[in-house]
Amino acid sequence: MCGIVGYIGPREAVTVLLPALRRLEYRGYDSAGVATIHGKNLEVRKTAGKILQLEAILERSPVRGRVGIAHTRWATHGRPSDGNSHPHVDCASRLAIVHNGIIENYRELRKDLARDGHQFRSQTDTEVIAHLIERHRANGLAEGVRQAALQLQGAFAIACIAGDEPEVVVAVRRGSPPLVIGFGDSEVFLASDIPALLGETREIVVLEEGEMTVLTAKSVTLHTLDGHRVRRTHSIIPWDRDTAEKAGFPHSGFPHFMLKEIFEQPAAVRNTIRDRVDLEGGDIRIPEMGLTDRDLVGLNRLCFVACGTSLHAAMVGKYMVEAFARLPVEVDVASEFRYRKPVLDGRVLTVPISQSGETADTLAALREAREQGSRIVAVCNVLGSSVAREADGVLYTRAGIEIGVASTKAFTAQLTALFLLALKLGMARGFIDRALARHLTKGLWEVPDLMAGVLELNEEVEKVLAIGKVASRFAESKDFLYLGRGIHYPLALEGALKLKEISYIHAEGYPAGEMKHGPIALIDARMPVVAIAPKGPTYEKMAANIEEVKAREGIVIAVVTAGDGEVGGEADVVLPIPPAAHWLQPLLVAVPMQLLAYHIGVLKGCDVDQPRNLAKSVTVE
Ligand code: F6R
């Protein structure tokens, strides 16, 4: 996955492109580059490494021009190197392109172009696009891009500029890689996603699959690749410069986006509940789902599809929906969904869950479900993202922009949204009456305040050790085991995932009852075991598992209800959470898991906002 930006207007392009590129850095950060047109000259600077390195090059060797494109790369074809970085140029260095996606037939094209005398300078699939456009440019840049796009196979988004046509930026989208056009005052922006345009414009148009656009400072035209004119109304996004500043560019006082986002969870949860819950009447309103109570009664199954952290939220959602609505629920790893020939029809509600709304596997699962006749309601955080646009309805999490690669506030916002969805289903299907709904929603309403209390674990309070100090005791451990039961089993998986990706320590999440079937053999005095054991239906069983760990000299870090002397007394380290209804505990348990992973990662000197080899979501394989 890569990030693309473009600009044409009265300002120096680089002053717009670099901040936008930084907002896209989560999409890839192993190389970066920029191309502008100054007079009729194409100026290109690019480098392996992060955007900071590109900025240093631009400092020494600035580029000028009021039209430009830029790119941040996550390598797929060709290792990260200066030569493989984008933009790529044609033989004559007259045109430059940036690209997100994969060109499947690039080998054949490359051979064919080489036979024609085109000289290649990189190992990328992208460079063939520049040469292909060069081949087809007789009737201008736009026609060249169109002809080239028709010959390319794969899924891609491309932006292109040319020194001899300095008044235009041409862009095209085939398949899933997103492209958004932003409208300013006599200036036009282009980007891989909406957050990149944050603070510049609120007026946007999303380029659909199989469309291309020609941008000038004063006009934007849209066409299908077979030449038909497209007219589309502009959308207004509800983010402004203020939101951008609040979103923290840079991260307003916190040392990392991850920590900032962990601390934003009370607000993320509150925003996700806001105006959807009638506390007095005990009602839930989610009209954006586009489903009537009758539709909900008519369902015979629900199917969650998601990846990574979103998958763990789905697993918690299964417990909630089955308990509140007595509706059978399946949870599928999105990347596996299409390989198991899922049995779906109009009575199955498929719910893709995705923070970014751009994860390729989740999008593919959504499309598979649609093909099988299922209705689709997405749980998604990014407005206007591909998942949100392709679903029949959307239950938006309102976590705000998540910059840290490790998902934190989006996860707890997803748990909140799924709690609301489960309640809504339970009420419609007659398993939850208004009194119970009032009780449950009141509990949910209190969660943000309880979370704020758990966040205090970041500091030393009374007798409770600051989580940073706990982390320092375990930062050198080689392996971790996370145990949970029932609704906390997915939290054990999530805790282990956070630790792995942030600190590179091997960690396994396990249903605690499975310990005796093998993993118990691993436990010894060097093995920290995070046991999730707040008061609730699985408490006694967890207490027994903790004793088993202690009997093998394992080190127990227990997440327990504050004041629990029993399990708490057995544990080596206690991470307390306040008392809360069983169904809401995952929202609180998530916080110490995240803080522990964060602090261990920081202590080990890891780049917690951008772990190696990880991009925030994978749009194109
Ligand atoms: C882990 C993490 C990933 C994402 C996964 C799905 O911290 O961030 O596991 O959860 O890549 O991404 P979305 O939710 O954007 O589809």
Side-chain angles (χ1 to χ4, degrees):
M1 180 172 66
C2 305
I4 292 179
V5 288
Y7 174 78
I8 184 159
R11 290 188 266 170
E12 279 298 324
V14 83
T15 64
V16 180
L17 295 172
L18 285 178
L21 209 56
R22 275 196 294 273
R23 283 171 208 155
L24 284 180
E25 203 170 15
Y26 74 86
R27 299 178 68 90
Y29 32 80
D30 60 38
S31 344
V34 60
T36 59
I37 302 171
H38 185 43
K40 288 204 162 214
N41 291 331
L42 196 61
E43 303 199 340
V44 180
R45 306 285 182 275
K46 56 186 194 169
T47 178
K50 296 194 174 189
I51 294 170
L52 265 178
Q53 273 146 281
L54 176 66
E55 286 170 341
I57 290 175
L58 287 166
E59 187 106 329
R60 291 194 301 274
S61 169
V63 293
R64 298 206 48 203
R66 296 170 200 281
V67 49
I69 51 177
H71 188 264
T72 179
R73 178 170 188 244
W74 190 58
T76 54
H77 291 72
R79 67 185 173 82
S81 68
D82 294 354
N84 286 340
S85 310
H86 301 213
H88 288 280
V89 296
D90 61 346
C91 295
S93 292
R94 262 196 292 269
L95 69 88
I97 67 146
V98 287
H99 158 227
N100 172 27
I102 301 284
I103 306 302
E104 285 162 4
N105 57 339
Y106 86 99
R107 284 192 189 80
E108 301 96 272
L109 288 170
R110 188 174 170 128
K111 269 193 214 141
D112 180 37
L113 286 157
R115 269 196 298 271
D116 243 13
H118 287 265
Q119 304 275 328
F120 285 84
R121 305 171 176 103
S122 77
Q123 288 92 46
T124 63
D125 54 342
T126 303
E127 196 185 345
V128 298
I129 309 170
H131 293 280
L132 207 55
I133 298 173
E134 181 176 36
R135 177 188 269 177
H136 291 297
R137 264 198 77 191
N139 295 320
L141 184 65
E143 184 55 16
V145 170
R146 189 179 82 86
Q147 292 289 343
L150 288 171
Q151 255 187 289
L152 298 170
Q153 285 165 15
F156 52 82
I158 300 165
C160 181
I161 56 174
D164 50 356
E165 287 183 61
E167 307 297 331
V168 293
V169 176
V170 183
V172 60
R173 173 183 172 186
R174 282 272 297 273
S176 55
L179 265 187
V180 182
I181 302 161
F183 298 83
D185 190 7
S186 299
E187 56 186 352
V188 180
F189 312 87
L190 184 76
S192 291
D193 70 19
I194 298 171
L197 304 179
L198 205 72
E200 292 294 359
T201 178
R202 296 175 55 200
E203 205 177 326
I204 61 143
V205 154
V206 176
L207 206 64
E208 298 290 350
E209 279 191 57
E211 288 180 355
M212 61 179 288
T213 182
V214 178
L215 318 176
T216 74
K218 298 219 163 81
S219 70
V220 171
T221 51
L222 258 61
H223 286 93
T224 58
L225 281 177
D226 49 12
H228 296 294
R229 184 75 191 262
V230 175
R231 292 184 198 282
R232 184 160 304 132
T233 334
H234 299 187
S235 309
I236 305 295
I237 48 173
W239 293 330
D240 51 19
R241 193 173 286 277
D242 227 33
T243 327
E245 277 154 17
K246 282 191 197 126
F249 296 110
H251 28 60
S252 31
F254 285 93
H256 300 99
F257 279 115
M258 184 178 173
L259 189 62
K260 173 175 174 286
E261 289 164 2
I262 290 173
F263 272 78
E264 283 171 347
Q265 291 181 106
V269 170
R270 190 163 283 127
N271 286 336
T272 303
I273 306 170
R274 180 173 42 81
D275 68 32
R276 289 176 170 150
V277 168
D278 172 3
L279 282 177
E280 296 308 312
D283 200 9
I284 306 284
R285 300 188 203 101
I286 323 176
E288 327 77 281
M289 288 204 308
L291 295 174
T292 61
D293 280 3
R294 210 162 143 202
D295 294 329
L296 299 178
V297 172
L299 298 174
N300 66 8
R301 198 158 28 107
L302 192 145
C303 189
F304 287 122
V305 286
C307 300
T309 291
S310 299
L311 179 73
H312 299 152
M315 292 171 75
V316 177
K318 174 181 167 79
Y319 287 90
M320 293 171 173
V321 173
E322 289 185 342
F324 292 180
R326 307 305 297 140
L327 183 66
V329 178
E330 286 172 10
V331 178
D332 269 273
V333 178
S335 56
E336 289 294 319
F337 192 62
R338 62 197 123 148
Y339 304 121
R340 73 163 179 88
K341 296 203 187 316
V343 183
L344 302 170
D345 58 33
R347 294 192 65 195
V348 180
L349 181 67
T350 300
V351 182
I353 306 177
S354 176
Q355 186 285 129
S356 61
E358 301 295 349
T359 300
D361 288 318
T362 309
L363 202 52
L366 179 158
R367 289 175 183 160
E368 173 79 33
R370 174 179 305 296
E371 221 151 85
Q372 310 268 339
S374 174
R375 298 183 75 156
I376 295 152
V377 170
V379 173
C380 189
N381 196 44
V382 177
L383 220 78
S385 57
S386 303
V387 166
R389 281 183 291 115
E390 293 197 23
D392 302 313
V394 187
L395 166 48
Y396 278 109
T397 45
R398 298 169 182 153
I401 307 155
E402 194 175 60
I403 308 280
V405 167
S407 187
T408 53
K409 62 177 178 170
F411 176 64
T412 41
Q414 285 166 348
L415 296 180
T416 308
L418 294 174
F419 185 85
L420 293 175
L421 174 65
L423 262 186
K424 178 85 194 149
L425 278 160
M427 292 179 78
R429 296 166 65 84
F431 291 99
I432 304 253
D433 62 19
R434 294 229 167 206
L436 183 54
R438 255 197 304 274
H439 172 72
L440 290 168
T441 49
K442 197 168 157 288
L444 180 64
W445 192 253
E446 286 163 4
V447 163
D449 289 338
L450 299 180
M451 272 182 150
V454 184
L455 284 165
E456 287 175 8
L457 281 174
N458 208 44
E459 311 294 330
E460 196 130 356
V461 265
E462 295 184 17
K463 291 197 201 96
V464 179
L465 212 57
I467 216 158
K469 286 203 185 143
V470 176
S472 65
R473 189 169 156 193
F474 300 107
E476 296 311 316
S477 300
K478 296 276 171 279
D479 305 280
F480 264 72
L481 196 60
Y482 284 70
L483 299 178
R485 277 178 183 257
I487 202 162
H488 298 308
Y489 161 47
L491 269 289
L493 296 177
E494 175 59 9
L497 174 63
K498 283 289 93 90
L499 188 71
K500 278 187 271 207
E501 68 174 331
I502 293 306
S503 72
Y504 316 135
I505 294 178
H506 168 247
E508 296 280 349
Y510 242 84
E514 280 288 291
M515 279 241 298
K516 56 183 171 296
H517 301 291
I520 202 156
L522 291 172
I523 293 175
D524 62 19
R526 284 164 304 169
M527 171 73 94
V529 177
V530 180
I532 307 172
K535 286 274 166 60
T538 57
Y539 176 77
E540 301 298 339
K541 291 274 188 194
M542 278 304 298
N545 294 130
I546 287 170
E547 273 176 35
E548 285 165 11
V549 174
K550 291 304 299 173
R552 284 153 185 85
E553 296 184 355
I555 311 152
V556 173
I557 304 168
V559 182
V560 295
T561 307
D564 175 354
E566 197 183 325
V567 164
E570 283 276 314
D572 297 273
V573 176
V574 167
L575 302 175
I577 60 164
H582 172 62
W583 300 108
L584 296 169
Q585 287 171 355
L587 283 146
L588 303 174
V589 168
V591 178
M593 308 270 110
Q594 297 162 348
L595 285 172
L596 186 65
Y598 168 79
H599 283 290
I600 293 180
V602 170
L603 283 166
K604 294 190 73 178
C606 306
D607 186 349
V608 294
D609 280 335
Q610 288 177 349
R612 66 179 177 228
N613 297 332
L614 283 172
K616 183 130 190 80
S617 72
V618 181
T619 304
V620 170
E621 295 154 320

